[in-house]
Short mmCIF file of all heavy atoms in Angstrom, two decimals:
data_model
loop_
_atom_site.label_atom_id
_atom_site.label_comp_id
_atom_site.label_asym_id
_atom_site.label_seq_id
_atom_site.Cartn_x
_atom_site.Cartn_y
_atom_site.Cartn_z
N MET A 1 -214.08 -21.57 144.37
CA MET A 1 -214.89 -20.92 143.36
C MET A 1 -214.11 -20.80 142.04
O MET A 1 -214.71 -20.92 140.98
CB MET A 1 -215.30 -19.54 143.89
CG MET A 1 -216.42 -18.96 143.14
SD MET A 1 -217.86 -20.00 143.29
CE MET A 1 -219.09 -18.91 142.77
N LYS A 2 -212.82 -20.53 142.12
CA LYS A 2 -212.01 -20.44 140.91
C LYS A 2 -212.03 -21.76 140.15
O LYS A 2 -212.08 -21.77 138.92
CB LYS A 2 -210.56 -20.10 141.26
CG LYS A 2 -210.26 -18.68 141.48
CD LYS A 2 -208.75 -18.54 141.59
CE LYS A 2 -208.35 -17.29 142.28
NZ LYS A 2 -206.89 -17.17 142.35
N TYR A 3 -211.99 -22.83 140.91
CA TYR A 3 -211.97 -24.16 140.29
C TYR A 3 -213.25 -24.38 139.49
O TYR A 3 -213.20 -24.85 138.34
CB TYR A 3 -211.81 -25.23 141.37
CG TYR A 3 -211.89 -26.64 140.84
CD1 TYR A 3 -210.83 -27.19 140.13
CD2 TYR A 3 -213.03 -27.41 141.02
CE1 TYR A 3 -210.89 -28.47 139.63
CE2 TYR A 3 -213.10 -28.69 140.52
CZ TYR A 3 -212.03 -29.22 139.83
OH TYR A 3 -212.10 -30.48 139.33
N LEU A 4 -214.40 -24.08 140.07
CA LEU A 4 -215.67 -24.27 139.38
C LEU A 4 -215.78 -23.38 138.14
O LEU A 4 -216.26 -23.83 137.09
CB LEU A 4 -216.84 -23.98 140.31
CG LEU A 4 -217.07 -25.01 141.41
CD1 LEU A 4 -218.19 -24.54 142.33
CD2 LEU A 4 -217.39 -26.36 140.82
N ARG A 5 -215.33 -22.15 138.25
CA ARG A 5 -215.37 -21.24 137.11
C ARG A 5 -214.48 -21.76 135.98
O ARG A 5 -214.85 -21.75 134.82
CB ARG A 5 -214.95 -19.84 137.53
CG ARG A 5 -215.05 -18.83 136.42
CD ARG A 5 -214.73 -17.45 136.86
NE ARG A 5 -213.71 -17.49 137.91
CZ ARG A 5 -213.34 -16.45 138.62
NH1 ARG A 5 -213.88 -15.29 138.41
NH2 ARG A 5 -212.42 -16.55 139.55
N ARG A 6 -213.29 -22.23 136.34
CA ARG A 6 -212.37 -22.75 135.34
C ARG A 6 -212.94 -24.00 134.67
O ARG A 6 -212.86 -24.17 133.46
CB ARG A 6 -211.02 -23.06 135.99
CG ARG A 6 -209.95 -23.39 134.97
CD ARG A 6 -208.60 -23.55 135.62
NE ARG A 6 -208.62 -24.75 136.45
CZ ARG A 6 -207.98 -24.87 137.61
NH1 ARG A 6 -207.29 -23.87 138.09
NH2 ARG A 6 -208.05 -25.99 138.29
N ARG A 7 -213.56 -24.88 135.47
CA ARG A 7 -214.17 -26.08 134.91
C ARG A 7 -215.34 -25.73 133.99
O ARG A 7 -215.55 -26.37 132.96
CB ARG A 7 -214.65 -27.02 136.03
CG ARG A 7 -213.56 -27.60 136.88
CD ARG A 7 -212.73 -28.57 136.15
NE ARG A 7 -213.53 -29.74 135.85
CZ ARG A 7 -213.08 -30.85 135.32
NH1 ARG A 7 -211.83 -30.95 135.01
NH2 ARG A 7 -213.87 -31.85 135.09
N LEU A 8 -216.11 -24.74 134.36
CA LEU A 8 -217.23 -24.30 133.53
C LEU A 8 -216.74 -23.75 132.20
O LEU A 8 -217.29 -24.08 131.14
CB LEU A 8 -218.06 -23.25 134.27
CG LEU A 8 -219.29 -22.73 133.54
CD1 LEU A 8 -220.30 -23.85 133.34
CD2 LEU A 8 -219.91 -21.59 134.31
N ILE A 9 -215.69 -22.95 132.24
CA ILE A 9 -215.13 -22.40 131.00
C ILE A 9 -214.58 -23.51 130.12
O ILE A 9 -214.83 -23.54 128.91
CB ILE A 9 -214.04 -21.35 131.32
CG1 ILE A 9 -214.69 -20.10 131.92
CG2 ILE A 9 -213.26 -20.98 130.07
CD1 ILE A 9 -213.71 -19.10 132.48
N HIS A 10 -213.91 -24.48 130.71
CA HIS A 10 -213.39 -25.61 129.94
C HIS A 10 -214.53 -26.43 129.33
O HIS A 10 -214.42 -26.89 128.19
CB HIS A 10 -212.51 -26.49 130.82
CG HIS A 10 -211.16 -25.93 131.09
ND1 HIS A 10 -210.03 -26.68 131.07
CD2 HIS A 10 -210.76 -24.68 131.40
CE1 HIS A 10 -208.98 -25.93 131.35
NE2 HIS A 10 -209.42 -24.70 131.56
N GLY A 11 -215.59 -26.61 130.10
CA GLY A 11 -216.74 -27.35 129.59
C GLY A 11 -217.40 -26.66 128.41
O GLY A 11 -217.78 -27.31 127.43
N VAL A 12 -217.54 -25.35 128.50
CA VAL A 12 -218.15 -24.59 127.40
C VAL A 12 -217.27 -24.67 126.16
O VAL A 12 -217.76 -24.88 125.04
CB VAL A 12 -218.41 -23.13 127.83
CG1 VAL A 12 -218.76 -22.26 126.63
CG2 VAL A 12 -219.50 -23.07 128.87
N LEU A 13 -215.96 -24.51 126.35
CA LEU A 13 -215.05 -24.60 125.21
C LEU A 13 -215.08 -25.99 124.58
O LEU A 13 -215.03 -26.13 123.36
CB LEU A 13 -213.62 -24.25 125.64
CG LEU A 13 -213.38 -22.78 125.98
CD1 LEU A 13 -211.96 -22.58 126.49
CD2 LEU A 13 -213.63 -21.91 124.77
N LEU A 14 -215.19 -27.00 125.41
CA LEU A 14 -215.28 -28.36 124.89
C LEU A 14 -216.56 -28.56 124.08
O LEU A 14 -216.54 -29.15 123.00
CB LEU A 14 -215.22 -29.38 126.04
CG LEU A 14 -215.29 -30.84 125.64
CD1 LEU A 14 -214.05 -31.23 124.86
CD2 LEU A 14 -215.44 -31.70 126.87
N LEU A 15 -217.67 -28.06 124.60
CA LEU A 15 -218.94 -28.18 123.87
C LEU A 15 -218.89 -27.44 122.52
O LEU A 15 -219.38 -27.95 121.51
CB LEU A 15 -220.09 -27.64 124.70
CG LEU A 15 -220.57 -28.54 125.82
CD1 LEU A 15 -221.61 -27.82 126.67
CD2 LEU A 15 -221.14 -29.83 125.28
N VAL A 16 -218.30 -26.27 122.51
CA VAL A 16 -218.18 -25.51 121.26
C VAL A 16 -217.30 -26.28 120.28
O VAL A 16 -217.63 -26.42 119.10
CB VAL A 16 -217.63 -24.09 121.52
CG1 VAL A 16 -217.25 -23.40 120.22
CG2 VAL A 16 -218.65 -23.27 122.28
N GLY A 17 -216.17 -26.80 120.77
CA GLY A 17 -215.27 -27.55 119.90
C GLY A 17 -215.92 -28.80 119.32
O GLY A 17 -215.78 -29.09 118.12
N VAL A 18 -216.66 -29.53 120.15
CA VAL A 18 -217.33 -30.74 119.67
C VAL A 18 -218.43 -30.39 118.68
O VAL A 18 -218.60 -31.08 117.67
CB VAL A 18 -217.88 -31.55 120.87
CG1 VAL A 18 -218.83 -32.64 120.42
CG2 VAL A 18 -216.74 -32.14 121.67
N SER A 19 -219.16 -29.30 118.93
CA SER A 19 -220.22 -28.93 118.00
C SER A 19 -219.65 -28.52 116.65
O SER A 19 -220.20 -28.87 115.60
CB SER A 19 -221.10 -27.82 118.58
OG SER A 19 -220.43 -26.59 118.57
N VAL A 20 -218.53 -27.78 116.65
CA VAL A 20 -217.90 -27.39 115.39
C VAL A 20 -217.42 -28.63 114.64
O VAL A 20 -217.62 -28.77 113.43
CB VAL A 20 -216.73 -26.40 115.64
CG1 VAL A 20 -215.88 -26.23 114.40
CG2 VAL A 20 -217.26 -25.07 116.11
N LEU A 21 -216.80 -29.54 115.37
CA LEU A 21 -216.30 -30.77 114.74
C LEU A 21 -217.45 -31.60 114.15
O LEU A 21 -217.36 -32.08 113.02
CB LEU A 21 -215.51 -31.59 115.75
CG LEU A 21 -214.79 -32.81 115.22
CD1 LEU A 21 -213.73 -32.42 114.22
CD2 LEU A 21 -214.17 -33.58 116.37
N CYS A 22 -218.53 -31.75 114.90
CA CYS A 22 -219.69 -32.52 114.39
C CYS A 22 -220.28 -31.86 113.15
O CYS A 22 -220.62 -32.54 112.18
CB CYS A 22 -220.75 -32.64 115.46
SG CYS A 22 -220.34 -33.76 116.78
N PHE A 23 -220.42 -30.55 113.19
CA PHE A 23 -220.97 -29.84 112.04
C PHE A 23 -220.08 -30.00 110.82
O PHE A 23 -220.56 -30.29 109.72
CB PHE A 23 -221.17 -28.36 112.36
CG PHE A 23 -221.68 -27.57 111.19
CD1 PHE A 23 -223.01 -27.64 110.82
CD2 PHE A 23 -220.83 -26.78 110.44
CE1 PHE A 23 -223.49 -26.93 109.74
CE2 PHE A 23 -221.29 -26.07 109.36
CZ PHE A 23 -222.63 -26.15 109.01
N LEU A 24 -218.78 -29.82 111.00
CA LEU A 24 -217.86 -29.93 109.87
C LEU A 24 -217.84 -31.34 109.28
O LEU A 24 -217.82 -31.50 108.07
CB LEU A 24 -216.45 -29.51 110.29
CG LEU A 24 -216.25 -28.01 110.47
CD1 LEU A 24 -214.83 -27.73 110.96
CD2 LEU A 24 -216.52 -27.25 109.19
N LEU A 25 -217.85 -32.35 110.15
CA LEU A 25 -217.83 -33.72 109.65
C LEU A 25 -219.11 -34.05 108.88
O LEU A 25 -219.07 -34.71 107.84
CB LEU A 25 -217.63 -34.71 110.79
CG LEU A 25 -216.22 -34.75 111.36
CD1 LEU A 25 -216.17 -35.69 112.56
CD2 LEU A 25 -215.21 -35.16 110.32
N SER A 26 -220.25 -33.58 109.38
CA SER A 26 -221.49 -33.85 108.66
C SER A 26 -221.59 -33.03 107.38
O SER A 26 -222.16 -33.49 106.39
CB SER A 26 -222.70 -33.59 109.56
OG SER A 26 -222.79 -32.22 109.86
N ASP A 27 -221.05 -31.84 107.38
CA ASP A 27 -221.12 -30.98 106.20
C ASP A 27 -220.15 -31.42 105.11
O ASP A 27 -220.46 -31.33 103.92
CB ASP A 27 -220.84 -29.53 106.58
CG ASP A 27 -221.16 -28.58 105.45
OD1 ASP A 27 -222.35 -28.51 105.08
OD2 ASP A 27 -220.22 -27.97 104.93
N LEU A 28 -219.00 -31.90 105.51
CA LEU A 28 -217.98 -32.28 104.54
C LEU A 28 -218.10 -33.73 104.06
O LEU A 28 -217.31 -34.16 103.22
CB LEU A 28 -216.59 -32.05 105.13
CG LEU A 28 -216.26 -30.59 105.46
CD1 LEU A 28 -214.90 -30.49 106.14
CD2 LEU A 28 -216.30 -29.73 104.22
N ALA A 29 -219.08 -34.45 104.57
CA ALA A 29 -219.28 -35.83 104.12
C ALA A 29 -219.66 -35.82 102.64
O ALA A 29 -220.40 -34.95 102.17
CB ALA A 29 -220.39 -36.49 104.93
N PRO A 30 -219.15 -36.79 101.89
CA PRO A 30 -219.46 -36.80 100.45
C PRO A 30 -220.92 -37.15 100.18
O PRO A 30 -221.53 -37.92 100.90
CB PRO A 30 -218.52 -37.88 99.91
CG PRO A 30 -218.22 -38.75 101.06
CD PRO A 30 -218.28 -37.88 102.28
N GLY A 31 -221.44 -36.55 99.14
CA GLY A 31 -222.81 -36.83 98.70
C GLY A 31 -223.85 -36.07 99.50
O GLY A 31 -223.60 -35.59 100.60
N SER A 32 -225.01 -35.95 98.91
CA SER A 32 -226.14 -35.31 99.58
C SER A 32 -227.42 -35.79 98.89
O SER A 32 -227.39 -36.47 97.87
CB SER A 32 -226.04 -33.79 99.48
OG SER A 32 -226.28 -33.36 98.17
N PHE A 33 -228.53 -35.41 99.46
CA PHE A 33 -229.82 -35.76 98.88
C PHE A 33 -229.97 -35.14 97.51
O PHE A 33 -230.53 -35.73 96.59
CB PHE A 33 -230.94 -35.30 99.81
CG PHE A 33 -232.31 -35.68 99.33
CD1 PHE A 33 -232.73 -37.00 99.39
CD2 PHE A 33 -233.15 -34.73 98.80
CE1 PHE A 33 -234.01 -37.35 98.94
CE2 PHE A 33 -234.42 -35.08 98.35
CZ PHE A 33 -234.84 -36.39 98.43
N PHE A 34 -229.42 -33.94 97.33
CA PHE A 34 -229.54 -33.25 96.05
C PHE A 34 -228.67 -33.89 94.98
O PHE A 34 -228.98 -33.81 93.80
CB PHE A 34 -229.23 -31.77 96.21
CG PHE A 34 -230.21 -31.08 97.12
CD1 PHE A 34 -229.80 -30.56 98.33
CD2 PHE A 34 -231.54 -30.97 96.77
CE1 PHE A 34 -230.71 -29.94 99.16
CE2 PHE A 34 -232.44 -30.35 97.59
CZ PHE A 34 -232.03 -29.83 98.80
N ASP A 35 -227.56 -34.51 95.38
CA ASP A 35 -226.75 -35.23 94.41
C ASP A 35 -227.53 -36.40 93.81
O ASP A 35 -227.40 -36.72 92.64
CB ASP A 35 -225.46 -35.75 95.05
CG ASP A 35 -224.51 -34.62 95.39
OD1 ASP A 35 -224.65 -33.54 94.81
OD2 ASP A 35 -223.63 -34.85 96.24
N GLU A 36 -228.34 -37.03 94.65
CA GLU A 36 -229.17 -38.13 94.17
C GLU A 36 -230.28 -37.61 93.25
O GLU A 36 -230.65 -38.28 92.28
CB GLU A 36 -229.79 -38.85 95.37
CG GLU A 36 -230.45 -40.16 95.00
CD GLU A 36 -230.89 -40.92 96.24
OE1 GLU A 36 -230.12 -41.01 97.18
OE2 GLU A 36 -232.04 -41.40 96.21
N MET A 37 -230.77 -36.42 93.52
CA MET A 37 -231.81 -35.84 92.67
C MET A 37 -231.27 -35.51 91.28
O MET A 37 -232.02 -35.52 90.30
CB MET A 37 -232.39 -34.57 93.31
CG MET A 37 -233.26 -34.82 94.51
SD MET A 37 -233.83 -33.29 95.25
CE MET A 37 -235.06 -32.76 94.08
N LYS A 38 -229.98 -35.21 91.20
CA LYS A 38 -229.38 -34.86 89.90
C LYS A 38 -229.42 -36.04 88.94
O LYS A 38 -229.36 -35.85 87.73
CB LYS A 38 -227.93 -34.43 90.10
CG LYS A 38 -227.78 -33.10 90.76
CD LYS A 38 -226.31 -32.76 90.95
CE LYS A 38 -226.15 -31.49 91.75
NZ LYS A 38 -224.74 -31.20 92.04
#
Side-chain angles (χ1 to χ4, degrees):
M1 197 62 164
K2 277 189 201 181
Y3 176 75
L4 288 176
R5 184 176 33 189
R6 190 174 68 216
R7 295 290 292 187
L8 181 65
I9 290 170
H10 284 222
V12 168
L13 290 175
L14 181 67
L15 284 174
V16 169
V18 168
S19 73
V20 168
L21 187 64
C22 287
F23 177 77
L24 286 176
L25 287 176
S26 66
D27 191 64
L28 297 176
S32 71
F33 183 73
F34 297 114
D35 290 340
E36 191 173 314
M37 288 177 74
K38 289 178 186 176

